């Protein structure tokens, strides 16, 4: 082998290693992103309801995990689509209320669309919950109930604070919704 051929062989080997590394990196990131995307997150302070949660916290066996994955693959795209629509409608409403001349008819229609989209999301979530509940034993059903409770908890929070007109994050201890929750708890 002459010198030119040796150099070409080494270039080919380096290019092959580079391709293998690139493909491996892409597969790794796709798998990691897929796991993140399959998580249901209620709020930042809680664990996401993903496969790991159901295996570790509820103790799902392999059969239950496969049934969960099947239900989750059906649930996630539907829920994400409705959430995307809801977010879009909220942006449209915000844009409309900040116009010089607000079209109140359009505002009402957008608001009604949010209501029907929210109802659709609840239906999808209910179906998913019932599918997962069907694969749980009695003890797991109690833990499942606790995990899903935030989705069905009707705590009112307007997101506005009474303190100096500042905005609060939903769920914070300040603001109108938190005050309502404290008052209703005191009445019990």
């Amino acid at each position: 082998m002459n010198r030119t051929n040796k150099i070409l062989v080494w270039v080919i080997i380096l290019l092959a290693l580079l391709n293998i590394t690139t493909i491996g990196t892409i597969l790794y990131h796709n798998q990691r992103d897929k796991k993140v995307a399959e998580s249901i997150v209620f709020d930042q302070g809680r664990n996401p309801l993903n496969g790991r949660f159901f295996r570790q916290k509820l103790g799902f066996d392999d059969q239950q995990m496969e049934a969960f994955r099947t239900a989750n693959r059906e649930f996630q795209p539907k829920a994400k689509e409705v959430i995307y629509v809801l977010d879009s409608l909220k942006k449209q409403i915000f844009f409309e209320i900040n116009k010089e001349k607000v079209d109140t008819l359009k505002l009402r229609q957008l608001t009604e669309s949010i209501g029907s989209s929210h109802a659709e999301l609840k239906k999808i979530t209910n179906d998913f919950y019932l599918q997962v509940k069907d694969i749980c034993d009695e003890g797991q059903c109690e833990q499942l109930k606790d995990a899903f409770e935030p989705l069905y908890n009707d705590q009112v929070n307007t997101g506005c604070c009474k303190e100096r007109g500042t905005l609060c994050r939903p769920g914070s201890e300040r603001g109108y919704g938190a005050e309502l929750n404290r008052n209703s708890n005191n009445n019990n």
Side-chain angles (χ1 to χ4, degrees):
M1 259 182 153
N2 62 19
R3 182 174 159 86
T4 307
N5 286 344
K6 285 182 182 180
I7 292 174
L8 287 175
V9 167
W10 280 108
V11 167
I12 290 170
I13 290 172
L14 287 174
L15 288 173
L17 286 173
L18 180 64
N19 283 339
I20 290 170
T21 305
T22 302
I23 291 169
T25 302
I26 291 170
L27 291 174
Y28 170 77
H29 285 287
N30 283 345
Q31 187 67 20
R32 189 183 73 190
D33 293 345
K34 183 178 172 186
K35 287 179 182 177
V36 169
E38 290 180 354
S39 300
I40 308 165
V41 181
F42 298 120
D43 65 41
Q44 301 299 347
R46 295 184 64 91
N47 289 331
L49 295 183
N50 56 19
R52 179 180 293 161
F53 173 85
F54 285 95
R55 183 171 298 277
Q56 290 178 351
K57 300 292 182 186
L58 272 67
F60 274 14
D61 59 26
D62 290 340
Q63 268 185 319
Q64 288 174 311
M65 284 304 299
E66 190 54 41
F68 165 78
R69 285 187 195 103
T70 301
N72 197 37
R73 281 187 211 113
E74 183 182 319
F75 167 74
Q76 285 292 333
K78 290 178 184 177
K80 284 180 184 177
E81 183 179 333
V82 175
I83 290 168
Y84 177 79
V85 168
L86 282 166
D87 289 343
S88 174
L89 288 167
K90 289 176 190 177
K91 288 176 186 174
Q92 289 178 46
I93 286 175
F94 188 73
F95 178 76
E96 187 63 38
I97 63 175
N98 284 295
K99 283 185 175 178
E100 188 72 29
K101 257 192 144 183
V102 176
D103 183 349
T104 56
L105 180 61
K106 183 176 181 180
L107 206 53
R108 284 190 181 110
Q109 290 170 341
L110 290 169
T111 303
E112 288 173 9
S113 295
I114 283 183
S116 58
S117 294
H118 191 252
E120 180 63 25
L121 183 59
K122 284 297 182 190
K123 289 175 190 172
I124 293 167
T125 304
N126 292 344
D127 292 344
F128 176 66
Y129 180 87
L130 292 173
Q131 286 178 314
V132 175
K133 184 179 175 185
D134 282 344
I135 61 176
C136 291
D137 62 30
E138 284 183 38
Q140 291 169 331
C141 279
E142 273 304 308
Q143 290 175 311
L144 180 70
K145 184 175 107 179
D146 292 342
F148 271 78
E149 184 179 13
L151 284 178
Y152 295 92
N153 210 349
D154 265 346
Q155 293 182 352
V156 178
N157 191 319
T158 61
C160 295
C161 286
K162 287 183 154 187
E163 299 173 17
R164 287 177 255 133
T166 59
L167 291 176
C168 295
R169 290 183 17 222
S172 70
E173 282 303 310
R174 300 180 317 169
Y176 184 65
E179 183 178 298
L180 284 178
N181 290 333
R182 281 192 298 271
N183 289 340
S184 66
N185 289 339
N186 291 338
N187 293 335
N188 292 333

